[in-house]
Amino acid sequence: MANIIEFGGGPTDEQKRDFYGYKYGTQLPGYLGYCPQLKYNSGKTYGQHTHELALEYDHVRTPNPADPPFVHRLKNEIPEPNGDNKFTKYMVSGYSGDIPRRLFHFGKSYRPECDDCIDEHISDYKKQHAQKEDLRRTVKAFPRLQALNFDPDVRDHLNTYRDTHPLLPVLAETKRGPLEPPIPRYEGFIPRVWTTEAGLGCRYHEMTKNGLAAFRHEVREHFKILQQPIIDVQSCPSSVPDPPKPIPKRMYLQDGMIPKYIGYVPQFKFDFGKTYGDSTRSLEVCYHDEDCYGSYMATKGLQPQQVVS
């Protein structure tokens, strides 16, 4: 091997290959560059494959030393740091803020990459500012449009239309009805959808429509009760209406529980081989006829256990 060592960089690639005895086109394992047809070859070492492919396909080319290296020339003058500006000349390594377009730059140290990114950012800003000014000048070049509401011809035509069509509205009705369901993927609040059975087994359109209808019915019933006169029990006891029926205290219904119910169902873990609905309907906590499970246990002579504090 020649004893010539280049200034500042150590031995050249040719000198390294001569020293290690590499063949033409041989690459070390772990090489991340492109080798044509490499994935279709097997049975030999990585170096032998790359050597044979280099002889068959002329893809290994050495750079011409006569060509000067490419140096990116800045198009704008990077501003000097003054304490207020963010993107300046001589950016310090370790800055954790955002540098525009730095994600698409690589292969250089931190400061040259930041200079290139800031230069492109300033160029884009100037370009957009010039386009905005050009649009403003183009708009000013055209005459301003005159409003038509002061034109007597338009006024007379509107008056004539109103006189000949007295029952038709001039403008379309934009207010939606209280029962019109929203479009799918609407993320706002819809009453009585998730807390009742209005949204079971139907599409989103029908589910929201049922929820709005149930909410409107409850609101009307509420205002109807508020409009009823107050009856004095002592003055006319015979006219007192019957008390409303109490709200049932039963939580486990005879129809069974709905799938995905995450509450506790007694004895459910000992029943298997059936669907969730059939399993819950077959349990005595659901199929009894009493008002609640405690009353059913009392009729059997078994009181539910009470926790003594």
Side-chain angles (χ1 to χ4, degrees):
M1 183 185 72
N3 295 327
I4 301 175
I5 302 298
E6 292 186 351
F7 175 74
T12 62
D13 294 339
E14 289 77 8
Q15 293 171 350
K16 293 179 182 179
R17 288 183 178 276
D18 293 339
F19 178 79
Y20 292 114
Y22 289 157
K23 300 179 182 179
Y24 174 76
T26 302
Q27 302 291 345
L28 292 176
Y31 169 69
L32 300 179
Y34 174 67
C35 291
Q37 305 296 322
L38 179 62
K39 62 181 180 181
Y40 303 110
N41 292 268
S42 59
K44 298 180 182 179
T45 62
Y46 186 82
Q48 186 65 25
H49 279 308
T50 54
H51 167 64
E52 294 177 357
L53 292 174
L55 296 177
E56 184 177 357
Y57 301 95
D58 187 16
H59 68 281
V60 180
R61 298 178 182 178
T62 57
N64 189 0
D67 297 336
F70 175 75
V71 179
H72 179 73
R73 304 295 181 182
L74 300 180
K75 301 178 182 178
N76 306 278
E77 183 178 357
I78 309 290
E80 296 289 340
N82 56 7
D84 295 331
N85 49 0
K86 183 188 301 183
F87 304 131
T88 61
K89 190 185 296 185
Y90 311 122
M91 296 290 291
V92 181
S93 301
Y95 172 69
S96 59
D98 177 63
I99 302 295
R101 298 179 177 273
R102 189 170 182 268
L103 182 64
F104 308 101
H105 289 260
F106 51 88
K108 297 182 181 180
S109 59
Y110 183 80
R111 182 177 297 177
E113 282 189 1
C114 292
D115 292 342
D116 296 343
C117 296
I118 296 173
D119 180 64
E120 293 184 10
H121 177 68
I122 295 175
S123 300
D124 293 344
Y125 175 78
K126 290 182 178 179
K127 182 180 179 181
Q128 293 180 3
H129 182 71
Q131 292 177 353
K132 187 183 298 184
E133 292 296 330
D134 186 24
L135 178 62
R136 185 179 292 108
R137 287 192 298 268
T138 304
V139 172
K140 288 185 177 180
F142 287 90
R144 294 178 60 87
L145 299 177
Q146 300 294 331
L148 298 178
N149 56 347
F150 300 105
D151 190 355
D153 295 336
V154 177
R155 181 195 59 195
D156 296 340
H157 280 293
L158 291 177
N159 292 335
T160 303
Y161 180 83
R162 173 50 58 195
D163 295 338
T164 55
H165 303 79
L167 299 179
L168 295 179
V170 178
L171 300 177
E173 183 67 26
T174 58
K175 186 177 180 181
R176 296 187 176 185
L179 299 181
E180 182 178 357
I183 60 176
R185 301 185 66 86
Y186 171 71
E187 298 182 356
F189 174 72
I190 299 177
R192 301 297 182 269
V193 171
W194 309 113
T195 57
T196 61
E197 298 180 356
L200 295 178
C202 57
R203 296 180 292 109
Y204 182 83
H205 183 83
E206 297 295 332
M207 175 181 67
T208 53
K209 184 178 179 181
N210 296 338
L212 294 175
F215 179 73
R216 186 181 184 184
H217 176 72
E218 293 178 2
V219 171
R220 286 186 173 181
E221 291 296 327
H222 174 72
F223 282 101
K224 186 183 297 184
I225 294 175
L226 293 179
Q227 293 176 359
Q228 294 179 0
I230 300 176
I231 301 175
D232 190 1
V233 180
Q234 297 180 357
S235 60
C236 50
S238 60
S239 60
V240 177
D242 296 334
K245 295 181 179 180
I247 300 176
K249 298 179 293 183
R250 182 163 182 166
M251 182 172 58
Y252 305 104
L253 304 179
Q254 293 181 346
D255 296 336
M257 307 304 294
I258 301 175
K260 294 186 179 181
Y261 171 70
I262 60 176
Y264 174 69
V265 180
Q267 304 298 323
F268 175 73
K269 64 180 180 180
F270 303 108
D271 192 273
F272 53 88
K274 294 178 288 185
T275 62
Y276 188 85
D278 292 339
S279 297
T280 53
R281 281 190 291 269
S282 61
L283 299 176
E284 62 179 5
V285 71
C286 291
Y287 70 70
H288 66 85
D289 298 329
E290 301 296 332
D291 293 337
C292 62
Y293 187 61
S295 301
Y296 172 72
M297 297 297 292
T299 57
K300 293 179 61 175
L302 299 175
Q303 294 293 338
Q305 298 179 1
Q306 298 181 356
V307 179
V308 179
S309 59

